[in-house]
Structure formats: C-alpha cells, structure tokens
Amino acid sequence: MLLSIIIPILNEKVNLIQLIPKLHELLQQLVLPVDYEIILVDGGSTDGTVDLVEQWQVKYIRQNTPGYGGALRDGFKEASGKWIITMDADLSHAPEFIRSLWQSRNQAEIVIASRYITGGKATMPWIRLILSRILNYFFSYGLSLRIKDMSSGFRLYRSESLKKITGHLISRDFDVLEEILIRAYAEGYRILEIPFHYYPRLQGKTHAKLVRFGIAFLRTFYRMWKLRNSIQSADYDARAYNSIIPLQRYWQRKRVAIITKFIANFELQISNIHPNRKLRILDIGCGSSYLVQKVPYLIGADIQFNKLRYLRYQLDTFGLLSLVNTTILSLPFKTNSIDIIVCSQVIEHLQNNTTWFNEINRVLVPNGVLILGTPDYHKLAWLIIEYFYKLFVPSGYADEHITHYTLLNLKELLNRNRYQILDTRYICRAELILAAKKLG
C-alpha cells in the first residue's frame, strides 16, 4: 500500500458526504497505480455514519483508545501505507492540499500543513486564533523548536519513521500532535512545514473541550520538556552549543574551540610524517556536536543511531566524510588506519577497564594523536558543578558517569602504553581535555 489517509470522526456524516467523494477523485489522480486506503476512526458516532461506510469504499474501525490521540494511534495501527496522511473530517482541511503534501513527501519524515509560516493563513474566530498562536509559541519557544504550527493535524508521515514513535505515545487528546513532533525531533527526523490556508468547519461543532484541552497540554509540555533536555534527544549537544544558559553555552563552545585548535595544530605535524596520505580524523561518541561543522571530512561514530540520523542531514553542508553506528569497544576500522582520534565525554560512561583504550590504540597510526576529554574528578570545581548539575538537570549526563578519571590515572594509562602527552587544557578547572601522541 502506497498511501493511507486517516480521518478521526465523531458525528461527521454531513461533512463526510462531501469529503469522501472528493478524496477518492483526488487520490485516483494522485496515486498511480491506484494504491491507497481511507481509514475512518469512529469515536462513537450516532448520526448514521456507519450506514454509508460501504458505499464510500473506506476502511471503517471503531475507536478503542479514548480521545483524539487515541483515534490517531488506532488509525496508525490499521494503516498499511508507506506514507500516512492525517486530516480532519470537518472540511477545514481542504482535500486539494493533499497534492502539496504528497509532492513534499521526500523532503522530510513529517510534512505539516502550516498556518503560521510565511504564505500560510488561518481563517477562524479571533479568540481561537489568539489561543492557537499562544499555544504554538509556548511549545516552540519553551522546547527550543523551529516549528511554527505544532497543533496542525493536517500532516503527512513516512510510515517507517512513525512506527519508531507511536509505541512511546502517551497523550490521549489533541496534545498528541505536539508529542509526535517532539518525539520525532528526539529521534533526529526531519520536519518540514509548507504554507496552508485553514478554514473553519462548515457543519457541526468542534469536539475540543477547552479546560481539558489546556490541562492535557500542560502535562504534555512538562513531559516533553524533560525529553528535550535529556541525553535521549538527538540534538542535545547541538542545542547546548546555542543554549540560553550562559554557563552551558560557554562550556560547549570552549570544548569545541579547544578540540578544533588541537586538531589544527597536529594536522600539520602528522602531514609532515605522512605527506602522501589524506588524513583521517575520527570522532568517537560524536553525538550531535558542533565539531562536525568545524572540522571538514570528519568521521563521526556514535552508538546512538538517532544522533547519527540528526547529523546525516548535515553531511553535504558540513563536509562529513561518513557516519558510523558503532561502539568504542569494537571499532570497525583497520589497524593503524586513523590519524587523529577525538574521544570527548565518552570514557566516563564506560566500565573501569582498558578495553576502550585497546581499540583506540589499535586503530590509531604510529605518531597519531589522541584527543581525550573527560571530567577530572580530582578537581573540586568539577565535584561542585556535578552536584548542582544533578539538582537542576536530573535527566542529563551526570548520573551516567560510572567511572571517575583524573589527570594522574590517565597519565599512568598513557605512559604505560607509550603515549606522549603533548598538551592539557581545562574548562573552568573541571573538565580535562588532553592531547597525546602514540609513539612509533
């Protein structure tokens, strides 16, 4: 199946009589060969809708999970299309606009018919328009998102990507629309808005209850705020680089500045030793760091696939050579094949053994450079910072620091394996970043 159209309904017979024939006419032109399905998810209609289902040639299901969010989730389970479009039954979503959504399907995993970007428009009562704009601004600004219309239910989804999100959905009401987008961001998926003119429903009345609606949104905002500020979010590191928190922004930018300076200093030295070979630079545990924007042709490696997914859309922009989904304990590179290895904010998350170092040592060329970054637990400044970090950002990295390194024990490890420490730097006298050469 190529395309599924999901329409939640509740006593929408008078609107569906107009909508369904228009959809069939449009889809038979749009999807060739004709390979689509229209799914009506009925929340308990009493207006005789079910009597017309057979002549409409649609898939009709009774809603099992309560609320608008439940209707979408039930519809997603039934949909078999490679792409899925969700829309309202009340004719506020013009069927003709499906053509624009369909034409944009290869540009993103989620395409939104947006009322609030340039070219979009919303024809609705002014009080509802104001509340809608406030809601969208509250979510987009509060959660650091670039989406203008998070509450639009007129969307196209890539089914394969949607499946990775739907199993985690909690929201039952209209707040499910925001939750889907935020979870998509956390997975590193692309989201595209295209301008759309929204019209109010022609017949019937809205099924949204304002008070319940508001309470649900506040609960969802809190849950999604925790997700957006956790390490599970694909753009965690990139957002920290531009954080509104001065200390966090300074810290991230200082880290990138130190590492890029180290790389620039040692690129020339290594080139003199290996003049006929193009240097290979590997960032282990790259996350969504801004380092990829600073170092051309970097190889990014990370165990979390969602962060690589986020970075893949920057391949052409920032000149990344490749992305590798792997663990530091088993690097898929040949022995003596990497000239510079960056491993920042990784080893403190690993068990206290040298397996990780053995792999780094194996793939690094003789006279290659290792740039290693980790909190120094011998420094009082770090212990204080980590204490307060746990208090204010309990979903952050601090609780995952299972091995506590110091400059002294790292020196012992490096000396024992015939590495020469070339330089050491600190951020706020707390986070250590050192560069060491593997002696040939």
Side-chain angles (χ1 to χ4, degrees), residues 97-128:
F97 194 77
I98 289 176
R99 192 179 303 275
S100 297
L101 291 172
W102 185 248
Q103 290 171 349
S104 302
R105 66 189 182 279
N106 292 319
Q107 298 180 43
E109 278 70 39
I110 300 177
V111 182
I112 304 171
S114 177
R115 299 161 290 182
Y116 304 135
I117 63 170
T118 302
K121 190 176 180 180
T123 300
M124 64 174 72
W126 67 269
I127 186 65
R128 186 180 168 197

Side-chain angles (χ1 to χ4, degrees), residues 278-290:
K278 185 176 181 179
L279 296 186
R280 302 188 75 195
I281 303 172
L282 171 65
D283 184 1
I284 302 173
C286 61
S288 55
S289 170
Y290 260 68

Side-chain angles (χ1 to χ4, degrees), residues 368-407:
V369 172
L370 168 63
I371 300 172
L372 195 61
T374 186
D376 188 338
Y377 278 85
H378 185 69
K379 296 292 186 179
L380 178 61
W382 174 255
L383 298 177
I384 294 172
I385 289 169
E386 186 177 69
Y387 173 79
F388 285 104
Y389 187 65
K390 287 181 179 180
L391 287 179
F392 295 111
V393 191
S395 56
Y397 281 115
D399 285 335
E400 297 195 0
H401 291 185
I402 60 177
T403 304
H404 297 173
Y405 287 95
T406 67
L407 176 58

Side-chain angles (χ1 to χ4, degrees), residues 195-232:
F196 165 68
H197 191 166
Y198 173 88
Y199 294 93
R201 64 166 46 241
L202 294 182
Q203 303 286 342
K205 62 180 181 179
T206 180
H207 303 294
K209 305 300 181 182
L210 189 59
V211 174
R212 189 179 71 181
F213 186 81
I215 293 172
F217 268 93
L218 288 175
R219 288 175 177 167
T220 297
F221 181 87
Y222 176 66
R223 286 189 287 106
M224 294 300 99
W225 183 87
K226 291 195 294 183
L227 175 61
R228 285 292 287 151
N229 290 281
S230 76
I231 61 174
Q232 302 306 319

Side-chain angles (χ1 to χ4, degrees), residues 7 9 12-21 40 49 56 89:
I7 310 174
I9 62 171
E12 297 284 2
K13 176 181 174 181
V14 66
N15 291 316
L16 291 171
I17 289 173
Q18 300 181 57
L19 176 62
I20 299 302
L40 301 183
T49 297
W56 283 340

